[in-house]
Amino acid sequence: MPIDAIIRVQHLSAQYDDLLVLHDISFDVSPGEIFMVVGGSGIGKTTLLNHMIGLLHPSAGHVFIAGDDIITANDIERTRILKKIGVMYQNGALFGSMNLLENVALPLEELTKLPPQAIQRIARSKLEMVGLSDFCDYMPAEISGGMRKRAAIARAMVLDPKILFLDEPSSGLDPITSAQLDLLIQNLSKMLGITFFIVSHDLSSINAIADRVIMLHEGKIIASGKPETLRQDCDSVLVRKFFKREA
Amino acid sequence: MEEQKIISAETERDASGNLTITIAGRLDYETVPAIWKQCLAALKTTTHQVTLNAEKIDYCDSAGFAFLDLLREKYENNFNLEKLSPSLQQLRQALRNQINCGEPHMRQIKKIPLTNIKIFIVHIQKNIYDNITFLGMVAYQSMQSLKNLKGLRWRDFGMALEDVGPKALPIIVLCGLLIGIISTFQSAAPMGRFGAQIYIINLVGLGLVREMGPLITAILLAGRTASSFAAEIGTMKINQEIDALITMGLSPIKFLAIPRILATAMMTPILNIFLILSGLIGCAIVMKSLGFNYYIYLHQLDVALRLKDFIGGTVKAFFFGLVIASIGCMRGLKTKIGPSAVGYSTTQAVVSSLIMIIIVDGIFAYIYYTLGI
């Protein structure tokens, strides 16, 4: 694997029973890149993400995370690989019985032996990074959808992972909140060098932050490149229509 | 291959008591706890200048920076951080640019006893008002549904009938049988002392038909049906399905509560009959073992029981069903937000149902006594 690829997906195929969802998917993601997977609803974007983070097992192929294959890894190796990544789920998946600070501190409490004062400090700093320092003691049910997503990002990056996987970060958010989230992702990428793998079909976000995009259709990658290039110069009509938001 | 986690910390104290700590290697989530302990032990006796030589630190993550920051906070002006590499300084600055220093603002919740009592009273008042409103709406909608049977959601009604009735039958029959057996055995010894074992049939028969049958059926349904209704409707509330009904201009009470309430009210007397029958069978089995044949048993039962005993028990069971289902649905519809809300509603549904069953039973006891039933 070349040193410049932090994620490498090789010939990945996946199916639900007899339904082939992904067919021979291959791509690389470079360190520090904001890489986005786009495509219509139900096309297999989240399925691809779930395979890459080890939640699902593919019918064929490999997924290398910072050099380690998560598909063939045993339980111990998988745990080690998972420490390199953070995941934000579509609805945030914050634990409703804990406040935001407790949610963010949970991985530190469970996975490290840090003293409590250090855990509190780190968790607070992560919440500050996402602009939620005033909401440490709020329960997830008491805050808005956008705030929940930002808190979920804070939790995902609390262990300083090299890679963050985000599933539809801007879905269901208003344009301003969505733009704020985009800015946060860009800042984290630039300043901390975090690699982002984002599943989305939000065109404004894609155009605003994506360094590189792949588009899925019928289980295959039908286009890859910079969003502006795909919008203007792609051979595929479907891709051009998608990026120009045409019927 | 995973990077090796190599870390070491050396402490050196000069003649004037100043302490120099030299850390080498990676300062991250895995190495900080050990370094932390080592440094705290060295710093315990130090009141002088503390210098941390960071020249050999080649990696630092949030845990590492938190460690450095906490040391700085603890020793304030007496702490010097020296020779941190430019790349780590840059990373530290990047992290700092993202965050505002200082304590985050926390909500201040004032707890004044008198205010709490006032809130509690207002809460109780609101609860009573809500319950009366809900029962009024249920009564109104039930009457509307009975007037216009086409408007009733028959499919939901059928599903509720099946859920409340046949699916609950095994546990009802089992409990009835066991209660019949147990109460007969419990009565056998004391009644035997007076040579009145034959009257166990009267005792158990009357007890089951008038009181135990409806009460045990209701208690079982409170645990099984009221909780199920509260959980089901509560989950719908959380998933905003109730909101969707309302925004579509549909009444959640009519759509969700009425079919369930009518089905439960209809099924509870039937389940009560099954519980009584199985209880009487249990009693008959024990009586047979005590030497009373089935002919004697049936004759004694015929003497003991009157039709109005049976009707009294059945009417009571009908009202128990009405109360149980209404409370289950009401608790479900009043579910708040959050993951524990459904569990809370379910618990509330069972507790409220049990309390209401006892209250309704007491009211019926008084009414039957007054009417001579």
Side-chain angles (χ1 to χ4, degrees):
Chain A
M1 190 174 113
I3 200 137
D4 60 338
I6 192 161
I7 303 173
R8 167 165 280 191
V9 175
Q10 278 182 333
H11 309 295
L12 188 83
S13 295
Q15 56 190 74
Y16 293 119
D17 297 325
D18 293 334
L19 180 69
L20 192 65
V21 186
L22 300 171
H23 179 62
D24 199 22
I25 302 283
S26 296
F27 60 87
D28 289 346
V29 180
S30 305
E33 198 175 22
I34 300 177
F35 187 91
M36 292 181 96
V37 180
V38 304
S41 298
I43 214 75
K45 304 186 296 290
T46 301
T47 301
L48 173 64
L49 184 138
N50 286 341
H51 280 91
M52 291 175 67
I53 59 177
L55 283 180
L56 295 173
H57 199 81
S59 48
H62 297 277
V63 175
F64 293 96
I65 303 287
D68 297 309
D69 190 354
I70 197 165
I71 307 296
T72 56
N74 60 28
D75 286 350
I76 296 165
E77 289 166 344
R78 189 183 297 260
T79 308
R80 187 173 51 77
I81 297 168
L82 289 175
K83 279 187 181 173
K84 297 176 190 174
I85 68 171
V87 185
M88 190 213 85
Y89 297 94
Q90 204 166 342
N91 61 0
L94 295 173
F95 300 110
S97 54
M98 300 175 188
N99 66 29
L100 297 194
L101 192 70
E102 288 165 343
N103 259 289
V104 177
L106 185 71
L108 295 170
E109 285 166 357
E110 294 299 316
L111 300 170
T112 73
K113 291 174 184 166
L114 290 171
Q117 62 264 49
I119 289 177
Q120 292 287 311
R121 187 182 191 92
I122 296 166
R124 277 198 179 144
S125 75
K126 299 296 173 186
L127 280 170
E128 282 177 25
M129 274 188 191
V130 297
L132 291 175
S133 56
D134 287 349
F135 297 89
C136 289
D137 60 340
Y138 277 63
M139 303 302 278
E142 295 176 309
I143 57 174
S144 70
M147 289 160 93
R148 270 201 289 274
K149 292 202 176 198
R150 280 189 280 152
I153 291 178
R155 188 178 64 179
M157 62 184 195
V158 74
L159 287 170
D160 291 338
K162 293 174 181 171
I163 308 161
L164 275 182
F165 289 88
L166 313 184
D167 190 5
E168 307 269 13
S170 52
S171 72
L173 299 184
D174 66 85
I176 295 171
T177 312
S178 183
Q180 284 171 345
L181 203 59
D182 289 344
L183 196 64
L184 174 71
I185 292 168
Q186 271 183 319
N187 284 344
L188 292 174
S189 171
K190 271 184 200 163
M191 293 182 174
L192 305 179
I194 297 173
T195 307
F196 281 88
F197 182 91
I198 304 171
V199 165
S200 179
H201 49 205
D202 179 1
L203 269 182
S204 51
S205 278
I206 294 163
N207 290 325
I209 61 170
D211 293 324
R212 203 151 53 92
V213 170
I214 58 169
M215 184 167 170
L216 293 183
H217 183 65
E218 292 179 345
K220 292 177 183 172
I221 296 174
I222 56 166
S224 74
K226 288 181 182 297
E228 58 270 24
T229 315
L230 296 180
R231 188 169 57 244
Q232 303 298 339
D233 307 324
C234 187
D235 296 336
S236 165
V237 178
L238 183 74
V239 176
R240 287 203 308 272
K241 274 186 175 178
F242 182 93
F243 281 93
K244 288 179 181 175
R245 207 171 180 274
E246 290 175 356
Chain B
M1 206 178 77
E2 200 189 6
E3 293 157 286
Q4 267 192 313
K5 311 284 183 191
I6 302 165
I7 186 81
S8 68
E10 285 172 15
T11 52
E12 196 182 319
R13 209 179 292 266
D14 63 17
S16 53
N18 294 331
L19 186 75
T20 303
I21 303 169
T22 306
I23 296 177
R26 292 171 62 84
L27 205 53
D28 63 14
Y29 285 107
E30 291 182 22
T31 57
V32 164
I35 291 291
W36 189 284
K37 271 186 194 167
Q38 200 179 335
C39 288
L40 280 186
L43 291 165
K44 232 173 208 173
T45 52
T46 298
T47 51
H48 297 82
Q49 196 76 20
V50 177
T51 305
L52 196 146
N53 183 348
E55 190 178 10
K56 292 176 183 170
I57 297 176
D58 46 43
Y59 177 80
C60 206
D61 65 7
S62 295
F65 289 126
F67 165 71
L68 298 178
D69 289 343
L70 285 168
L71 278 181
R72 183 183 290 283
E73 262 175 29
K74 193 168 180 181
Y75 294 95
E76 295 177 346
N77 296 333
N78 290 336
F79 179 78
N80 283 327
L81 177 63
E82 281 182 356
K83 297 175 185 173
L84 188 67
S85 73
S87 63
L88 289 178
Q89 277 181 27
Q90 212 178 344
L91 183 61
R92 194 181 195 203
Q93 198 53 47
L95 281 163
R96 283 195 167 172
N97 285 346
Q98 283 289 308
I99 61 177
N100 303 313
C101 291
E103 282 297 302
H105 165 76
M106 304 291 271
R107 281 186 293 181
Q108 295 294 315
I109 301 166
K110 287 179 184 171
K111 289 187 176 174
I112 305 165
L114 275 177
T115 315
N116 283 352
I117 292 167
K118 191 182 165 191
I119 290 168
F120 179 71
I121 292 167
V122 169
H123 175 73
I124 296 278
Q125 269 181 344
K126 193 177 176 302
N127 229 352
I128 292 169
Y129 176 79
D130 286 352
N131 291 355
I132 292 169
T133 309
F134 181 82
L135 288 174
M137 286 164 82
V138 166
Y140 173 75
Q141 294 281 1
S142 300
M143 292 311 291
Q144 291 292 317
S145 297
L146 290 173
K147 268 188 205 168
N148 176 22
L149 286 173
K150 279 185 187 171
L152 185 69
R153 289 182 59 82
W154 287 102
R155 193 169 159 272
D156 291 348
F157 177 71
M159 283 165 68
L161 270 184
E162 190 193 349
D163 189 44
V164 178
K167 287 186 179 172
L169 200 55
I171 192 158
I172 291 281
V173 170
L174 179 70
C175 287
L177 193 72
L178 291 173
I179 283 162
I181 291 171
I182 293 162
S183 50
T184 310
F185 266 128
Q186 291 284 2
S187 315
M191 297 291 265
R193 272 182 236 142
F194 303 105
Q197 278 191 330
I198 185 79
Y199 294 110
I200 294 172
I201 302 165
N202 301 48
L203 182 72
V204 174
L206 265 177
L208 271 171
V209 171
R210 286 183 67 104
E211 186 60 38
M212 294 278 277
L215 199 63
I216 300 291
T217 307
I219 289 170
L220 288 173
L221 287 188
R224 192 183 176 278
T225 307
S227 59
S228 150
F229 288 170
E232 191 181 353
I233 296 173
T235 308
M236 291 176 79
K237 179 94 184 282
I238 298 256
N239 292 339
Q240 294 186 301
E241 292 171 46
I242 308 284
D243 295 347
L245 276 177
I246 294 167
T247 50
M248 277 188 269
L250 305 171
S251 160
I253 292 178
K254 188 183 171 190
F255 263 71
L256 300 170
I258 297 299
R260 287 171 172 80
I261 292 169
L262 291 181
T264 312
M266 200 177 275
M267 265 302 166
T268 313
I270 299 172
L271 290 173
N272 172 45
I273 292 169
F274 276 98
L275 190 129
I276 292 168
L277 281 176
S278 49
L280 292 176
I281 291 168
C283 176
I285 294 166
V286 179
M287 290 307 289
K288 172 85 174 161
S289 71
L290 294 174
F292 298 92
N293 65 33
Y294 293 128
Y295 177 77
I296 296 170
Y297 177 80
L298 286 173
H299 179 262
Q300 196 63 23
L301 209 58
D302 185 39
V303 170
L305 295 177
R306 299 163 303 166
L307 183 64
K308 60 181 179 183
D309 294 324
F310 176 74
I311 292 172
T314 308
V315 169
K316 207 155 66 169
F318 173 82
F319 279 96
F320 283 162
L322 214 57
V323 166
I324 291 164
S326 300
I327 290 172
C329 293
M330 182 181 71
R331 290 294 173 193
L333 287 169
K334 284 175 75 178
T335 301
K336 292 177 182 168
I337 47 173
S340 57
V342 175
Y344 178 75
S345 290
T346 310
T347 311
Q348 286 292 306
V350 176
V351 173
S352 309
S353 297
L354 290 174
I355 292 168
M356 283 309 291
I357 288 166
I358 305 295
I359 292 172
V360 172
D361 199 27
I363 293 169
F364 269 100
Y366 178 74
I367 292 171
Y368 287 171
Y369 175 75
T370 312
L371 295 177
I373 295 173

